[in-house]
Amino acid sequence: MTILCVRFHLPPTHEAALPGLLGLLEEFSPVVEALPPDGALVDLRGAERYFGRSAVELASVIRVRALARYGVDCVIGAGPGTMLARMALREARPGVTCAVPEERDGVVEFLADKPVTALPGVGTATARTLCEYGLDSLGRVASAPLSTLQRLVGARAGRELHEKANGVDRGRVVPNGVARSLMTERPFERDELDAGRHRRALLSAAEELGARLRALDKVCGTLTLTVRYADRSATSRSRSLKEPTAHSAALTRVAYGMYEGLGLQRARVRALALRAEGLDPAEQASHQLSFDPVDEKVRRIEEVADRARAKFGPRAVMPGALAA
């Protein structure tokens, strides 16, 4: 067991606390990859030998120190590779580390009964194709001939799928790697028909993304909208921004434009998700100067609102449309 996938229970707008928690992980291993907003991968191959403890035992120490120093609980998955550690994290719970065995038979048993959608990189369309041919579990995918998988999903994707379903994990931990995207989702309690509620959900998601980007000193170059419907289908649209930004008003305008372009009318929507992609350091981004005093005023208000939220909580300042 050499890789840990850790997810800290942080409020969504408090990503600024992540560097301190990453420093805690670096006390055990220098090979730590940040997974903003609230997670990390840790390679413990050297740490197991140095401390004379297994990865699961070290995970318990990490959990206790995070609680003692920062008052933050976490869930941890452990496995012989990054893919398996990520999958183990989904089954972990606070206080108990979910661990995938290192032995080949243990890995095969862990994967066998899981649905194909549990495998990282398998989307809705690929899963639908596989299920149409009875390949609805990773065990069945693993036992299928490679040539069959390649005919169904393509040569390269078929080979990668065959390897992953058989427990071949080629992923590695990249030290100091920074995630190139941030995502937030707004599910509805009931399948929602009201376009006004859809727009308020998009406004809330764009405000959150903007705050998270600014907390990390990042800007995004592309925004992706995903709409999930009552029948479990989904539609996604992406749009490149005129200039990389973390400005909430700009993100909201783009999100509204993509939503209106879908022409949903009376569609029953189960959830809306926004993903900011192509993240770059804010200091390296160019910004077109504007002579519009309203835009400059909005940006100054945004800075003040960020400081207020950092001090008093994420709901201290919000658009009037979301106050209810």
Side-chain angles (χ1 to χ4, degrees):
M1 210 76 57
T2 57
I3 307 296
L4 296 184
C5 187
V6 185
R7 178 174 296 156
F8 298 102
H9 288 170
L10 287 173
T13 57
H14 283 60
E15 291 168 67
L18 186 58
L21 293 165
L22 295 178
L24 184 154
L25 299 177
E26 288 171 354
E27 295 176 8
F28 297 86
S29 170
V31 188
V32 177
E33 179 179 354
L35 301 175
D38 56 7
L41 288 168
V42 191
D43 189 334
L44 293 179
R45 277 177 290 189
E48 289 177 302
R49 294 191 297 271
Y50 181 82
F51 292 103
R53 296 187 180 185
S54 69
V56 174
E57 292 173 324
L58 292 175
S60 298
V61 178
I62 290 170
R63 184 180 295 110
V64 170
R65 290 190 182 182
L67 280 168
R69 296 183 188 178
Y70 299 94
V72 172
D73 199 359
C74 60
V75 290
I76 302 177
T82 59
M83 178 193 76
L84 294 168
R86 287 173 183 263
M87 295 180 70
L89 179 69
R90 299 175 185 174
E91 301 185 10
R93 61 183 188 276
V96 179
T97 300
C98 179
V100 180
E102 292 187 69
E103 298 77 15
R104 166 80 178 170
D105 292 343
V107 172
V108 171
E109 183 180 353
F110 174 78
L111 295 173
D113 296 331
K114 287 184 169 44
V116 292
T117 51
L119 202 64
V122 176
T124 304
T126 301
R128 185 184 301 115
T129 299
L130 294 172
C131 290
E132 287 175 354
Y133 289 86
L135 303 174
D136 56 353
S137 71
L138 293 182
R140 292 180 177 177
V141 172
S143 60
L146 173 60
S147 58
T148 299
L149 296 176
Q150 290 179 320
R151 283 198 299 272
L152 292 177
V153 300
R156 180 177 177 181
R159 182 175 296 279
E160 291 180 355
L161 180 63
H162 188 263
E163 288 183 348
K164 290 179 178 180
N166 280 281
V168 178
D169 192 346
R170 301 187 185 278
R172 62 188 183 92
V173 180
V174 181
N176 301 322
V178 178
R180 294 281 294 171
S181 68
L182 292 176
M183 193 271 284
T184 186
E185 186 171 24
R186 292 295 183 269
F188 296 105
E189 294 183 1
R190 299 181 179 84
D191 298 333
E192 187 57 66
L193 294 168
D194 186 359
R197 290 182 181 271
H198 296 168
R199 290 175 66 87
R200 283 196 293 274
L202 286 176
L203 173 61
S204 172
E207 286 284 328
E208 179 186 324
L209 274 184
R212 289 166 61 182
L213 286 167
R214 294 190 295 275
L216 292 170
D217 290 326
K218 299 287 183 181
V219 293
C220 74
T222 303
L223 197 64
T224 297
L225 167 65
T226 300
V227 183
R228 306 188 191 282
Y229 305 105
D231 62 357
R232 300 183 183 274
S233 63
T235 302
S236 292
R237 292 290 184 274
S238 293
R239 184 168 297 178
S240 296
L241 306 181
K242 292 182 179 178
E243 63 180 28
T245 187
H247 186 29
S248 295
L251 298 175
T252 302
R253 286 194 295 269
V254 174
Y256 282 170
M258 289 189 290
Y259 171 80
E260 292 167 0
L262 290 174
L264 298 181
Q265 297 180 357
R266 297 290 292 173
R268 297 170 58 201
V269 175
R270 182 156 296 178
L272 293 164
L274 281 180
R275 181 182 294 276
E277 301 174 303
L279 306 190
D280 288 308
E283 60 185 16
Q284 298 179 9
S286 60
H287 170 55
Q288 178 65 48
L289 296 178
S290 171
F291 293 102
D292 182 0
V294 175
D295 182 69
E296 294 301 320
K297 182 179 179 180
V298 170
R299 290 178 184 271
R300 289 197 297 271
I301 292 173
E302 192 172 67
E303 294 176 4
V304 175
D306 285 343
R307 292 197 292 270
R309 283 190 285 260
K311 185 174 183 179
F312 300 108
R315 295 182 62 82
V317 181
M318 66 180 67
L322 304 178

